[in-house]
Amino acid sequence: MERVQLTDELSFSRIIHGMWRLADWKYSEQELLQLIEDCLEMGITTFDHADIYGDYTCEQIFGKALSLKPEWRDRMQLVTKCGIKPLSEKHPNTYIKHYDTSKEHILTAVDQSLSNLVTDRIDVLLIHRPDPFMDPEAVAEAFTLLRQAGKVLHFGVSNFTPVQVDMLSSYLDFPLVTNQIEVNVMNLEHFDNGNIEKCWEKRLRPMIWSPLAGGRIFHSEDPKAGRLRNTLEQIADDLGADGIDQVMYAWLLQHPLKMMPIVGSGKTERIRRAVKALELPLTRQQWFEIWTCAVGHDVP
Amino acid sequence: MERVQLTDELSFSRIIHGMWRLADWKYSEQELLQLIEDCLEMGITTFDHADIYGDYTCEQIFGKALSLKPEWRDRMQLVTKCGIKPLSEKHPNTYIKHYDTSKEHILTAVDQSLSNLVTDRIDVLLIHRPDPFMDPEAVAEAFTLLRQAGKVLHFGVSNFTPVQVDMLSSYLDFPLVTNQIEVNVMNLEHFDNGNIEKCWEKRLRPMIWSPLAGGRIFHSEDPKAGRLRNTLEQIADDLGADGIDQVMYAWLLQHPLKMMPIVGSGKTERIRRAVKALELPLTRQQWFEIWTCAVGHDVP
Amino acid sequence: MERVQLTDELSFSRIIHGMWRLADWKYSEQELLQLIEDCLEMGITTFDHADIYGDYTCEQIFGKALSLKPEWRDRMQLVTKCGIKPLSEKHPNTYIKHYDTSKEHILTAVDQSLSNLVTDRIDVLLIHRPDPFMDPEAVAEAFTLLRQAGKVLHFGVSNFTPVQVDMLSSYLDFPLVTNQIEVNVMNLEHFDNGNIEKCWEKRLRPMIWSPLAGGRIFHSEDPKAGRLRNTLEQIADDLGADGIDQVMYAWLLQHPLKMMPIVGSGKTERIRRAVKALELPLTRQQWFEIWTCAVGHDVP
């Protein structure tokens, strides 16, 4: 599979696997190992986590399985995130969902993630959400300590706006390597808020969460979803695609920015459909058909 | 006429003539030559085109006339644009209006514009609209090739936002020389979206399209248009101006950014009214009277 | 009191006193001197003015009192502003509220402020509002002349957006030292428009006007105000604070950006309550309780 170079030393697979629903799948360790092996065989080597996924359980489930195949660790890139503190029975002192990007919290969260994932290093650590109470000097101190200790090799952000990317970058001696943002045919906000341009300007390749709009396009009675479903089905027919999910992936994959969609399915078959989307020859006009349908009017 | 220095080598006349409605005028070559000569005599030396104006015909009409007076070419600056692919019987393969800023399309479009305009070089080529599917590396390659070949001397953009200007600039070894934007008393969006400030910051002098708001202020029953008409008429009286169109031009021309309005009329008399607006001594308070009327409330 | 370093040479007291309502207090010179002395004793050494406060009278009232205690001048920092021309009987030629950031107006306004304040220098001069008709070259010329003459030591802005800060900075040979903006639990716009991030990026410490939302939270029947009042009262109880005003100050003071709230009260007791807020141990979760209440939903 095509790889995307994030730095001289780091590359991701063009398609990334996301583990945020891992706990829901109730997989045995063998089933999970099979899923990981299928991914690796398809060329998907980058796995996306967060400390809080599955109410703080997904990292650990993954780590336990991975510990049975330690030789796989060097074949993959592990991404995880910190900075959100949701309500959870595991953290009874948290009485309101909030953010914590303090030095102490980042250091503690990374130690926990390393332990959960049964690994000695995280390839990329992301700040999960922009924090209005962030002290960028504290974040920079934490990142520097983690880097020096070899616990985290690279750093990025998620859901940051352009000014937030610039701001945090100005406190770091090394570049942020990605911004993980939501982009899909139902949500074009990052084309409006300058994030696509900021990625280009800073030579950042974004990780894309919710590439299928959380699935709501398949059933929603929202008129925009219906309109898009029709357009996507027409194009799927024209391309001989297996379904509109493939066209939605192709719409992201054909974009020249080299967006890296995160596929969150536990089913090998579904993941394979995303991989096959890499070969769909979506044309420029088809890309704009979808764009036009999504924004609701012709380009000016 | 006052000239505006865009680079050390390039200057535009403060008032620019725009050819987007040239095909509608049904001018004979002699009539068009007369219009061009009138412009040149008034000091208007900069002519604004686009590949698509008049359903792809305006450049050619202009070029055919100009070929009868080749000695005029060195007295003028020709601006043209590419990147939009509208529906047109001339391009039956285009089935949806879209943008194309691929290297291939830019190179092909420029060759066509050179041929249409019967000239060996374009002074300034603009990307007509920001393209969500743009690959800035491809644009930079096309621009560099065109520059090396001497086919295009300078490059700019049109309707770009500040982040888009910064983004594309970051891929070029030479500065963009202008951003052509719509500014008029009915449309102040570029004062809100940071574009006026970005022009100042990058020392860009903007070309202004639709300086008279497409004429809709003259007849519209929209309350804002009516309100503005009253204010403009009052100020026209106070200044002894010939009409509110002159005041609208003066409102742009007095702004310290050295905005360059594009006058799109085929009638020498109307163009002369715009030129005379350069002499209208609109005061700071009159400028703010119009601003206040346009935004609908006093400045804070 | 904690001090905030704005440059190597300039520091402000963390809490600033604002004189915009000074004329309303009808203080005798002795009463005003007592207020200033109380501030200085509390460690509040920075006093915020503007040419236009009190219909152009506040600077002069302050200056007259200060001239009785000239030895206090070196113990304080004087901030003032120019650039707004409101309707005023004192300026009958102004027939519409407008901005004037011309070189001439800035120079004249500063001479007047120096005379009013009975001082030989202003520590920081702010442009009061972003001016759509600003010529940044003219502003830079005025600032440079004032700096060379020693009349103004440092320069800043007020109510500027990020692009406006960057734009004006690009014309100056020295850094702007602050942006005075409105931040309070009722107005979070500067968290949305990128200003908080721009302050971080440029290492600017903002002065905060209207830290108590102009007092409207205390009585307003607006549902948001009511909601916030409840949350603030609860937290005031938990912290043992004297009232919700203290919690509103603490919410600003705990933010890591080192925001400097401007206290506009003429009553020493009220000012002392603000100073005591410096010691309130508002927690991260309490900060987010207020944030969540203000935005009306949990953080994402």
Side-chain angles (χ1 to χ4, degrees):
Chain A
M1 177 180 301
E2 178 192 346
R3 296 192 65 77
V4 177
Q5 210 68 34
L6 274 71
T7 74
D8 287 347
E9 305 148 20
L10 176 71
S11 69
F12 278 2
S13 53
R14 185 66 195 275
I15 289 174
I16 292 169
H17 191 275
M19 290 291 173
W20 77 94
R21 287 188 299 216
L22 171 54
D24 301 338
W25 303 330
K26 317 276 185 210
Y27 278 180
S28 70
E29 283 172 4
Q30 284 311 313
E31 286 170 321
L32 176 54
L33 284 175
Q34 187 61 52
L35 178 74
I36 296 171
E37 187 166 23
D38 290 344
C39 283
L40 291 173
E41 276 175 10
M42 284 185 262
I44 298 177
T45 64
T46 308
F47 295 90
D48 183 64
H49 293 268
D51 55 350
I52 59 171
Y53 286 163
D55 192 21
Y56 294 95
T57 63
C58 292
E59 283 183 336
Q60 200 167 17
I61 297 168
F62 185 93
K64 251 179 113 176
L66 182 60
S67 69
L68 301 178
K69 294 281 188 183
E71 67 276 19
W72 288 0
R73 177 63 188 91
D74 289 345
R75 294 170 58 194
M76 58 174 61
Q77 300 80 46
L78 295 182
V79 180
T80 195
K81 317 185 189 76
C82 67
I84 303 181
K85 284 196 172 172
L87 296 181
S88 166
E89 291 187 1
K90 300 196 178 63
H91 292 273
N93 291 331
T94 297
Y95 63 87
I96 186 166
K97 185 177 179 187
H98 65 288
Y99 300 140
D100 189 345
T101 54
S102 66
K103 179 175 159 189
E104 296 69 31
H105 179 65
I106 294 172
L107 295 177
T108 305
V110 166
D111 280 340
Q112 186 63 53
S113 288
L114 288 170
S115 162
N116 289 342
L117 291 164
V118 192
T119 184
D120 60 342
R121 85 277 182 193
I122 289 160
D123 294 281
V124 182
L125 176 73
L126 309 181
I127 298 293
H128 207 148
R129 287 269 176 194
D131 172 5
F133 199 68
M134 179 184 289
D135 177 350
E137 294 181 348
V139 174
E141 278 181 48
F143 281 9
T144 301
L145 286 172
L146 291 167
R147 205 162 167 252
Q148 287 168 348
K151 292 179 177 179
V152 178
L153 306 188
H154 303 279
F155 300 88
V157 293
S158 187
N159 306 300
F160 272 43
T161 62
V163 288
Q164 291 162 347
V165 170
D166 282 342
M167 182 275 271
L168 183 55
S169 296
S170 79
Y171 284 84
L172 301 175
D173 298 328
F174 40 86
L176 295 169
V177 302
T178 194
N179 188 4
Q180 183 175 126
I181 55 182
E182 181 184 4
V183 183
N184 55 61
V185 297
M186 291 289 280
N187 182 352
L188 304 179
E189 67 176 308
H190 295 287
F191 283 93
D192 284 332
N193 68 12
N195 247 336
I196 299 299
E197 287 88 348
K198 183 52 68 177
C199 284
W200 277 119
E201 189 200 316
K202 295 191 86 78
R203 280 61 173 166
L204 279 187
R205 304 302 179 176
M207 301 170 74
I208 305 300
W209 64 270
S210 205
L212 302 182
R216 69 189 184 285
I217 201 168
F218 298 104
H219 317 290
S220 167
E221 298 186 10
D222 161 326
K224 180 174 154 189
R227 207 168 70 205
L228 274 162
R229 208 154 48 220
N230 288 343
T231 295
L232 292 165
E233 278 165 4
Q234 177 63 55
I235 292 175
D237 276 358
D238 293 348
L239 292 172
D242 277 348
I244 65 171
D245 56 336
Q246 278 199 338
V247 181
M248 284 191 272
Y249 283 123
W251 188 80
L252 295 170
L253 291 164
Q254 286 288 330
H255 193 280
L257 183 54
K258 295 195 190 296
M259 300 177 181
M260 298 174 286
I262 301 171
V263 178
S265 174
K267 297 188 181 149
T268 296
E269 247 343 281
R270 291 228 180 137
I271 301 170
R272 204 178 300 282
R273 290 160 67 89
V275 173
K276 280 195 190 150
L278 280 164
E279 291 158 27
L280 279 187
L282 189 82
T283 67
R284 188 178 299 264
Q285 288 198 75
Q286 286 167 328
W287 195 91
F288 275 97
E289 264 187 280
I290 296 166
W291 172 274
T292 299
C293 183
V295 299
H297 55 77
D298 276 347
V299 297
Chain B
M1 178 181 300
E2 178 192 346
R3 296 191 66 77
V4 178
Q5 211 68 33
L6 275 71
T7 75
D8 287 348
E9 305 149 20
L10 175 71
S11 69
F12 278 3
S13 53
R14 184 67 195 274
I15 288 173
I16 292 170
H17 191 274
M19 290 289 173
W20 76 94
R21 286 189 300 217
L22 170 56
D24 301 339
W25 303 331
K26 316 278 185 208
Y27 278 180
S28 69
E29 283 171 6
Q30 284 312 313
E31 285 170 321
L32 176 54
L33 284 175
Q34 187 59 54
L35 178 73
I36 297 171
E37 187 167 22
D38 290 344
C39 283
L40 291 173
E41 277 175 8
M42 283 185 262
I44 298 177
T45 64
T46 307
F47 295 90
D48 182 64
H49 292 269
D51 56 348
I52 59 171
Y53 286 163
D55 191 21
Y56 293 94
T57 64
C58 291
E59 284 183 335
Q60 200 166 18
I61 297 169
F62 185 93
K64 251 178 114 178
L66 181 61
S67 68
L68 302 177
K69 294 281 188 182
E71 68 277 18
W72 288 0
R73 177 63 187 90
D74 288 345
R75 295 171 55 195
M76 57 175 61
Q77 299 81 44
L78 295 182
V79 180
T80 195
K81 318 185 190 77
C82 67
I84 302 181
K85 284 194 172 172
L87 296 181
S88 165
E89 290 188 1
K90 300 196 177 63
H91 292 272
N93 290 332
T94 297
Y95 63 87
I96 186 165
K97 185 177 180 189
H98 66 288
Y99 300 140
D100 189 345
T101 53
S102 66
K103 178 176 159 187
E104 298 68 32
H105 179 66
I106 293 172
L107 295 177
T108 305
V110 165
D111 280 340
Q112 187 63 53
S113 288
L114 289 170
S115 162
N116 289 342
L117 292 165
V118 191
T119 184
D120 60 342
R121 86 275 181 195
I122 289 160
D123 294 280
V124 182
L125 176 73
L126 310 181
I127 298 292
H128 207 148
R129 287 269 176 194
D131 173 4
F133 199 68
M134 179 185 288
D135 177 350
E137 295 182 347
V139 174
E141 277 181 49
F143 281 9
T144 301
L145 286 171
L146 290 167
R147 204 161 168 253
Q148 287 167 346
K151 292 178 178 180
V152 178
L153 306 188
H154 303 279
F155 299 86
V157 293
S158 186
N159 306 300
F160 272 43
T161 62
V163 289
Q164 290 162 347
V165 170
D166 281 342
M167 183 276 270
L168 184 54
S169 296
S170 80
Y171 283 84
L172 301 175
D173 298 328
F174 39 86
L176 296 169
V177 302
T178 194
N179 189 5
Q180 184 175 126
I181 55 181
E182 181 184 3
V183 183
N184 55 60
V185 296
M186 291 289 281
N187 182 351
L188 304 179
E189 66 176 308
H190 295 288
F191 283 93
D192 284 333
N193 68 11
N195 247 336
I196 298 299
E197 287 88 349
K198 182 53 69 176
C199 284
W200 277 119
E201 189 200 316
K202 295 191 85 76
R203 279 63 173 166
L204 279 186
R205 303 303 178 175
M207 301 170 73
I208 305 301
W209 63 270
S210 205
L212 302 182
R216 70 190 184 284
I217 202 169
F218 298 105
H219 317 291
S220 168
E221 298 187 9
D222 161 327
K224 180 174 154 188
R227 205 170 69 205
L228 275 163
R229 209 155 45 221
N230 287 343
T231 296
L232 292 166
E233 277 165 6
Q234 177 64 53
I235 293 176
D237 276 358
D238 293 347
L239 291 172
D242 276 349
I244 66 171
D245 56 335
Q246 277 199 339
V247 181
M248 283 192 271
Y249 283 123
W251 188 81
L252 295 170
L253 291 165
Q254 286 288 330
H255 191 280
L257 183 54
K258 293 194 191 297
M259 301 177 181
M260 298 173 286
I262 302 171
V263 178
S265 174
K267 297 188 181 148
T268 296
E269 247 343 280
R270 291 228 180 136
I271 301 170
R272 203 177 300 281
R273 290 161 68 89
V275 173
K276 280 194 191 151
L278 280 165
E279 292 158 27
L280 279 187
L282 190 81
T283 66
R284 188 178 300 264
Q285 287 198 76
Q286 287 168 329
W287 195 93
F288 274 98
E289 265 187 280
I290 296 167
W291 172 274
T292 299
C293 182
V295 299
H297 56 76
D298 275 347
V299 297
Chain C
M1 177 178 304
E2 178 193 345
R3 296 192 65 78
V4 178
Q5 210 68 33
L6 274 71
T7 74
D8 287 348
E9 304 148 20
L10 176 70
S11 69
F12 278 4
S13 54
R14 184 67 196 274
I15 289 174
I16 292 170
H17 190 275
M19 290 290 175
W20 76 95
R21 286 188 301 216
L22 170 55
D24 301 339
W25 303 331
K26 316 276 186 210
Y27 277 0
S28 70
E29 283 172 5
Q30 284 312 315
E31 285 169 321
L32 177 54
L33 285 175
Q34 187 60 54
L35 178 74
I36 297 172
E37 187 167 22
D38 290 344
C39 284
L40 292 173
E41 277 174 10
M42 283 185 263
I44 297 178
T45 64
T46 308
F47 295 90
D48 183 64
H49 293 268
D51 56 349
I52 59 171
Y53 287 163
D55 191 21
Y56 294 94
T57 64
C58 292
E59 284 183 335
Q60 200 166 17
I61 297 169
F62 185 92
K64 252 178 115 178
L66 181 61
S67 68
L68 302 178
K69 294 282 188 183
E71 68 276 19
W72 288 0
R73 177 64 188 89
D74 288 344
R75 295 170 57 194
M76 56 174 63
Q77 300 81 45
L78 295 182
V79 180
T80 195
K81 316 185 190 76
C82 67
I84 303 182
K85 285 195 172 171
L87 295 181
S88 165
E89 290 188 1
K90 299 197 178 62
H91 293 272
N93 291 333
T94 297
Y95 63 86
I96 186 166
K97 185 178 181 189
H98 66 288
Y99 299 141
D100 190 345
T101 53
S102 65
K103 178 176 158 186
E104 296 68 31
H105 179 65
I106 294 173
L107 295 178
T108 304
V110 165
D111 280 340
Q112 187 63 53
S113 289
L114 288 171
S115 163
N116 289 343
L117 292 165
V118 192
T119 183
D120 61 343
R121 85 277 181 192
I122 289 161
D123 294 281
V124 182
L125 176 74
L126 310 181
I127 298 292
H128 207 147
R129 287 269 176 194
D131 172 5
F133 199 68
M134 180 185 286
D135 177 349
E137 294 181 348
V139 174
E141 278 182 49
F143 281 9
T144 301
L145 286 172
L146 290 167
R147 205 162 166 252
Q148 287 167 347
K151 292 179 178 180
V152 177
L153 305 188
H154 303 279
F155 299 88
V157 293
S158 187
N159 306 300
F160 272 43
T161 62
V163 288
Q164 290 162 346
V165 170
D166 281 342
M167 182 275 270
L168 183 54
S169 295
S170 80
Y171 284 84
L172 301 175
D173 298 328
F174 40 86
L176 295 169
V177 302
T178 193
N179 189 4
Q180 184 175 126
I181 54 181
E182 181 185 2
V183 183
N184 55 61
V185 296
M186 291 289 280
N187 182 352
L188 303 179
E189 69 176 309
H190 295 287
F191 283 93
D192 284 332
N193 68 11
N195 248 336
I196 298 299
E197 288 88 349
K198 182 53 69 179
C199 284
W200 277 119
E201 190 200 315
K202 295 191 86 78
R203 280 62 173 167
L204 279 186
R205 304 302 178 176
M207 302 170 72
I208 305 300
W209 63 270
S210 205
L212 302 182
R216 69 190 184 284
I217 201 167
F218 298 105
H219 317 290
S220 168
E221 297 186 10
D222 162 327
K224 180 174 154 189
R227 207 168 69 206
L228 275 162
R229 210 156 44 221
N230 287 343
T231 296
L232 292 165
E233 279 165 4
Q234 177 65 54
I235 293 175
D237 276 358
D238 293 347
L239 292 172
D242 277 348
I244 66 171
D245 57 335
Q246 277 199 337
V247 181
M248 284 191 271
Y249 283 123
W251 188 81
L252 295 170
L253 291 165
Q254 285 288 330
H255 192 281
L257 183 54
K258 294 194 191 297
M259 301 178 180
M260 297 173 286
I262 301 171
V263 178
S265 173
K267 297 188 182 149
T268 296
E269 248 342 282
R270 291 227 179 138
I271 301 169
R272 205 177 300 282
R273 290 160 68 89
V275 174
K276 281 195 190 150
L278 281 164
E279 290 158 28
L280 279 187
L282 190 82
T283 67
R284 188 178 298 264
Q285 288 199 75
Q286 286 169 328
W287 194 92
F288 275 97
E289 265 187 279
I290 296 166
W291 172 273
T292 299
C293 183
V295 300
H297 57 77
D298 275 347
V299 297

